[in-house]
Amino acid sequence: MAVREALFTHLDQVAPDGRLSWEQTASFEFAGETYAIRQTRGRGIHKPRQLSAALSITTKFTPFGQQPPYDDSIGVEGFPRYKYERTDPQLSTNRALRAAKDLELPIVYFLGIRPGIYQANYPMYVIDEDSANMEFTLGFSRGDLSLDLSSLSAPEKVYAARMTRQRLHQPVFREQVLHAYQCRCTVCRLGHSQLLDAAHITSDSEVGGDPVITNGLALCKIHHAAYDQNIMGITPDYEIKISESLLDEIDGPMLRHGLQEMHGSKIALPKHRLQHPDQDRLALRFESFRAAS
């Protein structure tokens, strides 16, 4: 446990925002020894030679449109799943992750958000194992260890799914969307990533609200809020529309330059056509804008 706490402190220092390069995940020092933080041979589950249970797991970044090597997913109760390495439950790496579960030890989950960049999620816990589907269930707090997953209520499942989206899916979604739009607002071209969001076209709480690039738009804070509140709409042909109630209003330069002058212009699209916003999703979302206007 002391090694794990030292690792968490180390990660707090080298990556305060949780984002770090592959090189930064190599090793750290504790009590005069060097501990490897993750595998170097492309394997996802890692146990340092000095420990008896897994210390970290990794999901490699998969470029848009490609099939990931392992089908990690969300279970019916809302918690994330992590697949066995290969298919043998007695493989040393699978035994190491099982030991982390049995000993109730926290681990780090390195989630690839773009090539060579990872989001470190910690502490996380292995709270269950499904040998039939060859996968482990992950939790976000020590309290999850005591859960009976088969008896969770509907609100508990919704909460777990929300946590999974916030902690695991949204960082990947944000990185992929902002990268596709070259870290610029698709409406006003603002290029400061700290002021940009990855906005959903179809909300992640609705059917079709998948965290994929084609369901995303890079928007600055102002235009994200305007889009969410149906003050601004985007047609399936990528044209920006501003609510008629605002077009004749006089309220300073932000309204004039930030919204009114955007009316009738086109959004800036990603370079690659496969990353363009889905026109069917845009059409459905634009109907909501028209109804609100």
Side-chain angles (χ1 to χ4, degrees):
M1 191 65 204
V3 173
R4 294 163 198 273
E5 290 174 350
L7 173 57
F8 300 157
T9 300
H10 169 76
L11 293 174
D12 287 343
Q13 293 170 349
V14 299
D17 62 354
R19 296 168 68 253
L20 67 171
S21 68
W22 187 233
E23 291 74 19
Q24 289 175 301
T25 68
S27 62
F28 77 108
E29 302 293 324
F30 174 70
E33 285 194 85
T34 299
Y35 286 80
I37 299 176
R38 43 79 178 169
Q39 286 279 11
T40 59
R41 301 184 301 277
R43 303 170 75 175
I45 302 169
H46 172 60
K47 181 191 78 66
R49 59 179 175 78
Q50 301 99 321
L51 302 180
S52 60
L55 181 64
S56 70
I57 56 176
T58 300
T59 293
K60 185 180 178 181
F61 170 77
T62 301
F64 179 72
Q66 296 186 17
Q67 181 67 28
Y70 288 92
D71 187 22
D72 299 328
S73 60
I74 302 180
V76 294
E77 74 298 306
F79 286 97
R81 297 286 203 267
Y82 193 84
K83 287 292 185 181
Y84 284 179
E85 184 175 331
R86 303 176 190 170
T87 57
D88 181 5
Q90 297 307 316
L91 196 67
S92 60
T93 48
N94 296 328
R95 292 203 314 270
L97 198 53
R98 186 176 302 117
K101 175 182 73 71
D102 294 340
L103 296 171
E104 300 186 349
L105 291 169
I107 62 172
V108 180
Y109 187 2
F110 292 110
L111 182 61
I113 53 180
R114 58 187 173 90
I117 302 297
Y118 289 78
Q119 180 79 24
N121 297 276
Y122 58 92
M124 294 194 70
Y125 294 85
V126 187
I127 62 175
D128 199 11
E129 179 179 1
D130 182 351
S131 57
N133 290 307
M134 296 183 290
E135 60 191 13
F136 295 94
T137 302
L138 306 177
F140 299 102
S141 70
R142 182 173 290 278
D144 294 337
L145 290 166
S146 60
L147 292 177
D148 179 0
L149 299 181
S150 64
S151 63
L152 292 182
S153 66
E156 288 172 326
K157 293 178 181 179
V158 170
Y159 177 77
R162 185 185 306 126
M163 285 293 296
T164 300
R165 288 195 300 268
Q166 290 175 352
R167 293 281 298 274
L168 301 184
H169 292 173
Q170 292 303 336
V172 178
F173 178 66
R174 173 181 167 80
E175 286 290 327
Q176 290 187 338
V177 170
L178 294 193
H179 184 69
Y181 286 84
Q182 300 181 334
C183 279
R184 291 193 175 276
C185 175
T186 187
V187 173
C188 68
R189 317 309 193 256
L190 181 69
H192 292 271
S193 61
Q194 307 95 315
L195 300 177
L196 299 180
D197 294 330
H200 287 79
I201 300 171
T202 301
S203 170
D204 60 0
S205 62
E206 299 177 17
V207 176
D210 310 296
V212 294
I213 295 176
T214 52
N215 186 38
L217 297 164
L219 294 173
C220 69
K221 305 290 184 182
I222 290 293
H223 290 125
H224 188 183
Y227 192 59
D228 282 353
Q229 297 301 316
N230 285 320
I231 293 172
M232 179 185 77
I234 299 174
T235 73
D237 296 323
Y238 312 128
E239 185 176 354
I240 300 165
K241 297 291 187 180
I242 302 300
S243 175
E244 291 184 7
S245 63
L246 267 71
L247 290 178
D248 297 325
E249 187 176 322
I250 299 175
D251 189 30
M254 177 55 72
L255 176 64
R256 184 171 69 256
H257 300 302
L259 292 171
Q260 291 169 338
E261 290 181 2
M262 299 294 115
H263 184 68
S265 62
K266 294 279 186 127
I267 64 172
L269 295 170
K271 179 180 178 180
H272 301 291
R273 187 171 183 82
L274 288 177
Q275 297 177 338
H276 288 188
D278 181 82
Q279 291 177 297
D280 289 336
R281 286 187 172 102
L282 284 174
L284 287 172
R285 180 63 182 269
F286 190 67
E287 287 304 313
S288 298
F289 166 77
R290 292 179 61 185
S293 300

